[in-house]
Amino acid sequence: MMQRLKVAARRVAIAGMALGVVCTTQAATVPDVVDASEQWLDQQAQSQRRVDDLGDQRRSLADEYRTTLREIEGLEAYNQQLQRQLKLQRDEIATLDNSISQATAVDRQILPLMLQMVDSLKQFVSLDLPFLPKERAERIEFVTQAIDRVDVSVAEKFRQVLEAYQVELEFGRTIEAYTGMVDVSGQKLEVDFLRVGRLGLFYQTLDGLQSARWDQASKQWVALPASERNPIRDAIRVARKLTSPNLLTLTLPTAG
C-alpha cells in the first residue's frame, strides 16, 4: 500500500512540473515535493498500523468477552446445580431431624419395655424347672448389662432381649442331657441331668444307681425307683444323640 501511495505522489509531482505550477515566494522543488509525499506516506502507514493494532485489540477483547460470557453461563449453571443440591440437603437434614426426634421418643418408650421384659424373664426362670441355672442367670445378666451400656444401640439391646426370650422358648421344644453337680442329703454328687422340654427334669448318678425327678410343687428332688433307671439312661443316650430316637417311657409329673 505504501508503494502505491509513493507512486501516486511521484505522478502528482511530475504533473505539477508539467503544468508549470510555480510559486514565486514559496516555490517548491521536486525533491521537496517528493520528501513531503514520503513523509505523508509514512504518516499514513503509521496511522494504518495504529488502526491495525486497534483492530487486533478489538478482536482480542471480543474473544475475551465471548470467553467471559461462556464462563459466566457455566458458573450460573453450576450455581443453579449447587442451589438444587443445597435444597435437597436441607430437605434431607429436615427429614433426619424429624427421624431423630421420633427415634428419641421411641427410645424413651422402648427402654422401660425392655426392662420390664427382662424382669419378667428373670421371674419366669426363677419359677421354672431349675435346669442350667448358671447359664440362664448369666444370659439374663448379660442382657441387663447391655441395656445399661451407652455404646450399644437401642436396636441391638432389643435384639438381645428377644434372643434371650428365643433361647428360653427353645427349651420347651427340645430334649437335653448335660453333666453337673447336685446336692443329695448334704452330699455333692456329679450326675447326668435330663431335661425333657419343660415337662420333666431328671438326674442319674454316673454309676446309674440313683435316679430322681424334680418335683415342681415341692421344689425338691424326688428319688425314683430302680425301675426308672433304664428308661432315664436310654433317654439320656437319645438326648446326647448316642442312639437313634425312640419312644421314651418316663414318669412325668401330673398337673396339680
Side-chain angles (χ1 to χ4, degrees), residues 4 9 38 44 47 69 74 78 85 89 96 105 123 127 139 154 156 163 165 178 181-182 187 189 192 214 217 255:
R4 289 197 299 269
E38 290 180 350
Q44 294 299 315
S47 298
L69 286 180
Y78 181 65
Q85 291 178 351
Q89 290 177 356
L96 290 175
Q123 183 178 6
L127 297 174
R139 182 179 299 109
V154 175
E156 176 62 18
E163 184 176 332
Y165 268 81
Y178 61 94
M181 303 299 293
V182 65
Q187 183 181 4
L189 296 178
D192 287 330
W214 178 261

Side-chain angles (χ1 to χ4, degrees), residues 110-120 144 147-148 161:
I110 200 171
L111 182 58
L113 174 62
M114 288 189 294
L115 293 174
Q116 182 180 356
M117 291 176 66
V118 172
D119 288 340
S120 298
T144 303
I147 293 176
D148 293 335
V161 173

Side-chain angles (χ1 to χ4, degrees), residues 15-202:
M17 292 172 61
L19 293 174
V21 179
V22 179
C23 296
T24 57
T25 59
Q26 296 179 351
T29 63
V30 172
D32 293 335
V33 173
V34 172
D35 291 340
S37 299
E38 290 180 350
Q39 291 178 3
W40 180 80
L41 290 174
D42 290 338
Q43 293 173 358
Q44 294 299 315
Q46 293 175 5
S47 298
Q48 186 63 41
R49 282 194 296 271
R50 286 194 295 269
V51 171
D52 293 342
D53 292 340
L54 292 174
D56 293 339
Q57 293 178 7
R58 182 188 61 80
R59 286 189 294 272
S60 177
L61 291 174
D63 293 340
E64 291 180 4
Y65 177 72
R66 285 190 293 268
T67 301
T68 303
L69 286 180
R70 287 193 295 268
E71 292 178 353
I72 292 174
E73 292 175 356
L75 290 174
E76 289 178 348
Y78 181 65
N79 186 54
Q80 292 175 1
Q81 181 181 1
L82 288 180
Q83 292 296 329
R84 290 192 295 269
Q85 291 178 351
L86 288 174
K87 183 180 182 303
L88 292 175
Q89 290 177 356
R90 285 193 294 268
D91 294 342
E92 184 176 356
I93 290 173
T95 302
L96 290 175
D97 289 341
N98 185 43
S99 300
I100 290 172
S101 61
Q102 293 180 357
T104 303
V106 171
D107 290 349
R108 289 196 296 266
Q109 296 173 4
I110 200 171
L111 182 58
L113 174 62
M114 288 189 294
L115 293 174
Q116 182 180 356
M117 291 176 66
V118 172
D119 288 340
S120 298
L121 184 62
K122 188 183 301 184
Q123 183 178 6
F124 173 79
V125 171
S126 67
L127 297 174
D128 196 18
L129 299 176
F131 61 89
L132 300 174
K134 182 179 179 182
E135 175 185 322
R136 298 166 80 188
E138 289 177 348
R139 182 179 299 109
I140 293 175
E141 180 63 21
F142 176 79
V143 174
T144 303
Q145 292 179 359
I147 293 176
D148 293 335
R149 291 174 57 180
V150 296
D151 59 334
V152 178
S153 65
V154 175
E156 176 62 18
K157 294 176 182 178
F158 195 68
R159 186 194 68 79
Q160 292 180 5
V161 173
L162 293 181
E163 184 176 332
Y165 268 81
Q166 183 66 30
V167 172
E168 290 294 331
L169 179 64
E170 290 297 320
F171 285 145
R173 301 185 297 197
T174 58
I175 180 173
E176 179 183 21
Y178 61 94
T179 301
M181 303 299 293
V182 65
D183 189 346
V184 180
S185 300
Q187 183 181 4
K188 294 289 185 180
L189 296 178
E190 186 176 11
V191 300
D192 287 330
F193 288 100
L194 172 66
R195 176 185 58 79
V196 181
R198 281 194 165 86
L199 297 176
L201 180 63
F202 306 84

